[in-house]
Amino acid sequence: QVQLVESGGGLVQPGGSLRVSCAASGSIFTINTMGWYRQAPGKQRELVADITRGGTTNYADSVKDRFTISRDNANTVYLQMNSLKPEDTAVYYCNAIAYSGRRYWGQGTQVTVSS
């Protein structure tokens, strides 16, 4: 089992920056990919960015050149969000994918971009 705990969400003005973090615990040796999804009210959950254990990254087109995902060890992943827009407002969920394909989810952290 893997547990994911997010932190760092909040309220920020348009054009501002925010960093969210996710720490994994438990059977972390089973994790390959870690990443972030988001879900805005009335919309489906969508991939924001993810990163493999080997460091390969993947971004949604809507966040390329604004967001950066990083991973400082096997179990902590960060999402640096710059030039935030109101449409980035959503609940951001940390996700981990094991080598087996099993997925784990965090509880979510609210990010609100508003003046």
Side-chain angles (χ1 to χ4, degrees), residues 3-111:
Q3 295 78 41
L4 303 173
V5 178
E6 302 118 330
S7 60
L11 173 65
V12 63
Q13 292 187 341
S17 298
L18 202 62
R19 189 176 82 157
V20 290
S21 305
C22 173
S25 61
S27 301
I28 59 173
F29 58 91
T30 66
I31 299 172
N32 178 19
T33 302
M34 294 186 72
W36 293 91
Y37 285 68
R38 67 186 180 187
Q39 187 167 19
K43 294 189 176 182
Q44 288 190 334
R45 191 173 297 190
E46 62 177 3
L47 173 69
V48 177
D50 60 25
I51 182 168
T52 67
R53 186 180 285 267
T56 300
T57 58
N58 177 43
Y59 294 92
D61 288 342
S62 60
V63 306
K64 280 180 180 176
D65 301 323
R66 298 190 300 122
F67 291 11
T68 302
I69 192 168
S70 61
R71 189 169 175 177
D72 65 356
N73 53 38
N75 63 323
T76 305
V77 65
Y78 306 93
L79 185 68
Q80 177 67 42
M81 302 182 285
N82 298 328
S83 302
L84 281 160
K85 305 175 182 180
E87 51 263 44
D88 294 317
T89 295
V91 178
Y92 283 69
Y93 294 93
C94 182
N95 172 258
I97 307 175
Y99 288 101
S100 66
R102 183 172 180 176
R103 285 180 176 266
Y104 300 91
W105 295 95
Q107 79 283 359
T109 185
Q110 177 70 45
V111 172

